[in-house]
Structure formats: structure tokens, C-alpha cells
Amino acid sequence: MAGSGVRDGRAWLPESMRSIVYSQPGDSSVLSLVEREVPEPGEGEVRVRVVVSGVNPTDWKARQGGTYGDGLPFPEITPNQDGAGVIDAVGPGVEGHSVGDRVWLYMAAASRPTGTAQELTVVPAARAVPLPESVSFDVGASLGVPAMTAHRALTVHEDGPARLSPGALDGRTVLVAGGAGAVGHAAIQLARWAGATVISTISSDAKAALATAAGAHHTVNYREEDAAERIRAIAPDGVDFVVEVSIPANAELDAAVLANHGVVSMYANNGGDTASIEVRPNMSINARYQFLLLYTIGDAALTAAAEDVTAALRDGALPVGEDAGLPLVRFPLEETAAAHDAVEGDTVGKVLVDVQSA
């Protein structure tokens, strides 16, 4: 974006901005960098100067056609659901937001053409959440899909809390499958913040180190040991929550370690689109299998997640970076296609796009 600033005592913006767009589904080659007009916020919307954009699997899957199929509902779409930045314009009817507010964004591109891979983006005011001054834009851009999905996974137990806070999961045991991933990382952090005992299954010593840095009390290498036996040794009565990334691969393990009335919260289809679940082992413990999709959980659950995640931020519970168990992998805006490829290629860590300087 050509520099913004002050002219004749008034703030001004250039007429155009840099934006990543695609006009047809496909691989990352459909993404291009263009100059677009600066959008104006409408009723109930805010415009945000995006500093950092976060990339998730949902972003490349949507771009490939996983959301809209072979057609697009808009002539052009700017990808990426998550991000963080500063509000620079407020539309009519918006309360509680002001120009200059630091915010983290979620579902920016959900049923909308304007995601966060551009210098200025317009979102419904509810999807711009206050970012505490002590929290970096990198953290803010790493929330959204991962943290809100993790929140939902930890609040669907029939006898568990509907909201998370310190002590909400006291006495509970949480098993996080794939603790080195972004959702797994957030689930470990939120569960630990809420007081749970956290176990994470991992596939290497390096990923065990990441899960431990995130806050997992125990890690279990499913490639080198009997995972069910080891988990049962840690939690003899079973685990109350399983935050599950691959039910096709882990259905047998989950049934073997689940506590009576435990829940398996499934948020991804890693490992395939179908799974086989044995009836008797699950029936005997009154198991619950909960499918999760952020885009259809409803406004009440989204609001609860946004509020609780922000409370965890204020407590310093959701750091990112290698020391916190989630290495950051960065790309400039013009290399957003490479950022998508990195996520599709299962790069370890959180992929961020630097849209502009803070």
C-alpha cells in the first residue's frame, strides 16, 4: 500500500492497496498479487489494517474448491480467515469498536470475498476481537481457526463446562492427538489454562518437545510404544476429552482410552474421509463422538470462544514461537502462494504472512 499518513491535518489513505486474489478454484498458482480499491465498511462492519495474516488448512482447501466447488460466489476472493491488525474505519451502527483499536480476526473470508491476505480488509464487527496491548500481532494472527476450534473441542462434554476459565477443567484429563499442530497446540494451552491434565500423542522426539513446550504434562510416541497402554498408565480411569485430528487412524486408540461418558471431539479428516468405530467398546462407556466445524457451530459458540480465548490471552496463556511449542514460519504478502503450499505440505509450526509493518 502506498504510504498512509496525515494530509492537511486529516488522516488519509491511498486509493488502492495490495491484495492477494483468485478468481477460480485451483492450486496455489491461481493466487495473484493485485492493486485494488480500498474497501469501505458498511453497516455493522469495521475496516482493519492487517499487519499479520494467519494461514490454516481451511484456507488452501477453500481455494482448491473445498468450500464452493467448481464455481465461486464472488468474482474475486481474497483468502485467509485469520489475522491481526488495527481498526482504521468503523461503519454505521457499530458499537464497542473505535479507530485505533488493536484486534484479532476470525472467519474474515467466511461467506465473504475479503479475507486477510490484503492490506485493508472489511469484516463484521463481531469478527474483530480486542487484542490486548501486551499481546503481539503474531499471536493474534495465530488464533482464529485453531484456538476457537480447540475451545469448542473442550466444551462439548455432556458433564463438562460450556465455557473455559482457570479451574474449569480441574480434575479432567485431556488427550490431544497431534499436539505439534496449530489446533493441537491451542488445545494443549487452553486445557492447561483451564486446569486439565494434558496428554499429547506425537510421532517424534522433536514434536514431543513442541507439545511439552506448549504445556502438555505427558507425551506418548505412538510409533515407538503401545499408546493405549501408556495412556492408561497415566490415566487409569481414562481420558475425558480427546481432541482428535484423525479419527480414521485413531478410532481404536480413542475407544481404548476413553473414560466413561468421555467425548471424542473430531475437527479434521486427516487420514481419510471415512472411519470405522467399534460399537461395543464405545457403547460400554457411553462414549460421545462430536464432529466440529467452526463455520456452522453458531453465533453463541463463536462468541463464547472469542471471549474465553481473549481472557486466556490476558492471562498470557496462548504464546506462540518455538519456545512456546509453535515455531513461526513467515512469508511476505507477495509470497502468499508459497505460504499456502507450506501449510498444504504439513510444515511444522504456524505459517504467517507479513502484510505490512506494524
Side-chain angles (χ1 to χ4, degrees):
M1 179 175 67
S4 59
V6 176
R7 178 178 292 166
D8 298 329
R10 295 182 298 172
W12 61 273
L13 288 169
E15 295 181 354
S16 65
M17 63 173 184
R18 296 189 307 153
S19 176
I20 300 294
V21 300
Y22 63 98
S23 56
Q24 62 183 27
D27 63 24
S28 64
S29 67
V30 302
L31 297 174
S32 61
L33 178 67
V34 301
E35 290 282 331
R36 303 176 77 183
E37 290 186 4
V38 173
E40 292 296 330
E43 182 80 23
E45 297 178 330
V46 297
R47 186 175 64 207
V48 176
R49 182 171 64 88
V50 181
V51 177
V52 182
S53 175
V55 187
N56 299 288
T58 188
D59 299 315
W60 69 259
K61 290 177 182 178
R63 186 209 68 229
Q64 275 195 346
T67 299
Y68 300 117
D70 294 333
L72 298 179
F74 310 103
E76 290 184 325
I77 291 178
T78 293
N80 299 2
Q81 299 288 354
D82 298 343
V86 179
I87 292 177
D88 84 333
V90 176
V94 173
E95 297 180 359
H97 287 299
S98 300
V99 171
D101 286 352
R102 302 170 80 251
V103 291
W104 60 274
L105 307 176
Y106 71 90
M107 287 172 52
S111 301
R112 298 174 62 83
T114 52
T116 63
Q118 59 184 18
E119 292 178 315
L120 293 153
T121 197
V122 171
V123 298
R127 299 183 192 176
V129 187
L131 184 68
E133 288 292 336
S134 60
V135 180
S136 71
F137 290 117
D138 286 354
V139 171
S142 301
L143 301 171
V145 170
M148 298 180 79
T149 298
H151 180 279
R152 181 64 172 172
L154 296 170
T155 54
V156 293
H157 194 290
E158 63 178 302
D159 297 319
R163 300 291 296 263
L164 296 182
S165 60
L169 294 176
D170 280 354
R172 304 285 186 152
T173 301
V174 174
L175 172 63
V176 178
V183 175
H185 176 263
I188 290 171
Q189 291 181 320
L190 286 172
R192 181 71 184 257
W193 174 66
T197 296
V198 184
I199 307 167
S200 180
T201 51
I202 44 77
S203 59
S204 68
D205 290 344
K207 291 185 176 181
L210 294 176
T212 299
H217 296 89
H218 309 275
T219 60
V220 176
N221 190 324
Y222 61 84
R223 290 180 175 173
E224 296 182 354
E225 53 191 322
D226 185 322
E229 181 179 343
R230 177 89 162 80
I231 292 167
R232 277 289 181 177
I234 297 167
D237 294 328
V239 300
D240 301 291
F241 299 80
V242 179
V243 182
E244 185 56 77
V245 67
S246 179
I247 190 63
N250 297 329
E252 183 177 351
L253 172 63
D254 293 345
V257 302
L258 206 59
N260 192 37
H261 290 276
V263 61
V264 180
S265 299
M266 301 168 287
Y267 66 88
N269 63 343
N270 292 19
D273 292 328
T274 60
S276 177
I277 299 175
E278 293 185 64
V279 174
R280 290 300 304 181
N282 288 287
M283 182 182 294
S284 66
I285 57 171
N286 295 277
R288 171 181 290 193
Y289 285 78
Q290 174 73 55
F291 289 91
L292 307 179
L293 183 64
L294 196 63
Y295 308 108
T296 54
I297 64 172
D299 290 341
L302 289 172
T303 298
E307 291 176 354
D308 293 354
V309 166
T310 301
L313 286 176
R314 294 193 182 99
D315 286 346
L318 292 166
V320 298
E322 189 158 3
D323 290 346
L326 191 68
L328 300 181
V329 183
R330 317 190 75 96
F331 295 85
L333 180 63
E334 59 269 21
E335 294 179 18
T336 298
H340 275 220
D341 289 342
V343 175
E344 186 174 359
D346 292 328
T347 292
V348 175
K350 182 65 188 181
V351 174
L352 299 177
V353 172
D354 291 312
V355 179
Q356 56 195 323
S357 63

